[in-house]
Amino acid sequence: MEAPNYSVLPIIDLEYNPSPAGDRLLLNSPCEVCGDHSSGKHYGNYACDGCAAFFKRSIRLDRHYVCKRGNPGACPIDKVLQNQCRACRLRKCFEVGMKQEAVHPSLSIADVDQLLALKWLPSLTDIVLP
Amino acid sequence: MEAPNYSVLPIIDLEYNPSPAGDRLLLNSPCEVCGDHSSGKHYGNYACDGCAAFFKRSIRLDRHYVCKRGNPGACPIDKVLQNQCRACRLRKCFEVGMKQEAVHPSLSIADVDQLLALKWLPSLTDIVLP
DNA sequence: CTAGGTCACCGTGACCATC
DNA sequence: GATGGTCACGGTGACCTAG
Ligand SMILES: [Zn+2]
Ligand SMILES: [Zn+2]
Ligand SMILES: [Zn+2]
Ligand SMILES: [Zn+2]
């Protein structure tokens, strides 16, 4: 899941090496949320960078999602479908035991901006205000 | 579905007017793809700005999506679920009759860049190469 | 009117610095 | 090791102009 470096002209970078810093990833500890490769434990459980960042953002911004499909329990969450339903992705983060207490608050300007903007999000997204 | 202007500090813009240029939208001609308000016909059918732009981008970049859910015909496409499945959204664009011939090619640098980058997209997205 | 085009905005996740 | 943080990147859609 390591992405190529787009800042390098791809047509020239034919010698693209799929594991530049890929030794960061663990072979036998997949993400407990989506099954992708993890780079270790995050907030209590093995998680990929994506799920870890997603969990952090959700907690920081106090986001509550609603499953658009109305799935009571869970839309399937795997490395293919992972971004399809944020509500169920976050629920699964909690289900596998990721701990929100492990996410420390932050007071960066960017976060404040996002919190402010949050109040003006269109009402049709999957985000519900606290 | 008109979004507020985030460049204005939302906390100050309490007089936010939901129809700044909203007279652009038609009242009785919803988007035939997702049911959102349309601003007229696009590529042959009444379509909202979102579906029109989505259709244009897909044709320009010759994108072929695959339904992650493997729905043979169609995931439901409406203003709530519209972005959940691009494969089925595009299929519905064609089904209601949007015409790809109405999308003219463009040769901007940005498009070429996107076409190049396309070849390096991770294999786990819903995009399949032509 | 419907094309084409723009761009502010957002979510994502790979990567890095810090402890 | 696991935090916090960064930021390049791509997608989106509201809005604009051109014809
Ligand atoms: Zn994951
Ligand atoms: Zn769900
Ligand atoms: Zn639409
Ligand atoms: Zn689908």
Side-chain angles (χ1 to χ4, degrees), chain A residues 67-69 71 74-75 85 87-88 91:
Chain A
C67 173
K68 290 179 179 177
R69 214 163 289 102
N71 266 346
C75 300
C85 183
C88 293
R91 190 199 331 267

Side-chain angles (χ1 to χ4, degrees), chain B:
Chain B
M1 290 287 279
E2 304 292 317
N5 182 358
Y6 291 116
S7 63
V8 179
L9 244 189
I11 204 124
I12 292 180
D13 188 13
L14 290 179
E15 302 290 314
Y16 168 65
N17 180 354
S19 63
D23 36 350
R24 220 170 36 87
L25 300 181
L26 307 179
L27 292 181
N28 297 317
S29 302
C31 171
E32 297 177 47
V33 178
C34 76
D36 196 5
H37 297 298
S38 81
S39 59
K41 288 192 174 186
H42 295 278
Y43 312 109
N45 296 78
Y46 287 105
C48 65
D49 284 337
C51 290
F54 169 75
F55 186 73
K56 178 175 65 179
R57 278 193 301 269
S58 299
I59 300 300
R60 284 265 175 79
L61 299 176
D62 191 27
R63 284 207 158 154
H64 298 242
Y65 310 107
V66 21
C67 173
K68 290 179 178 176
R69 214 162 289 104
N71 267 345
C75 300
I77 304 295
D78 55 46
K79 65 170 84 175
V80 174
L81 291 161
Q82 58 176 339
N83 292 332
Q84 292 277 83
C85 182
R86 295 194 286 184
C88 293
R89 190 187 192 185
L90 182 58
R91 188 198 333 265
K92 194 163 179 191
C93 285
F94 281 119
E95 278 176 4
V96 303
M98 290 176 76
K99 287 173 266 304
Q100 56 180 332
E101 314 86 64
V103 179
H104 300 153
S106 116
L107 292 177
S108 78
I109 297 291
D111 287 338
V112 174
D113 281 349
Q114 286 192 51
L115 279 169
L116 285 176
L118 187 58
K119 300 194 184 309
W120 293 88
L121 281 175
S123 58
L124 291 173
T125 68
D126 58 342
I127 300 178
V128 292
L129 296 182

Side-chain angles (χ1 to χ4, degrees), chain A residues 51-68:
Chain A
C51 290
F54 169 75
F55 186 74
K56 179 175 65 178
R57 279 194 300 268
S58 298
I59 300 300
R60 284 264 176 79
L61 299 176
D62 192 27
R63 283 204 162 157
H64 298 243
Y65 309 107
V66 24
C67 173
K68 290 179 179 177

Side-chain angles (χ1 to χ4, degrees), chain A residues 83-122:
Chain A
N83 292 331
Q84 292 277 82
C85 183
R86 297 194 285 184
C88 293
R89 189 185 192 186
L90 182 57
R91 190 199 331 267
K92 194 163 180 191
C93 286
F94 281 119
E95 279 176 3
V96 301
M98 291 177 77
K99 287 173 266 303
Q100 57 180 333
E101 314 84 65
V103 179
H104 300 154
S106 117
L107 292 176
S108 79
I109 297 293
D111 287 339
V112 174
D113 281 349
Q114 287 193 50
L115 279 170
L116 286 176
L118 187 58
K119 300 193 185 311
W120 294 89
L121 281 175

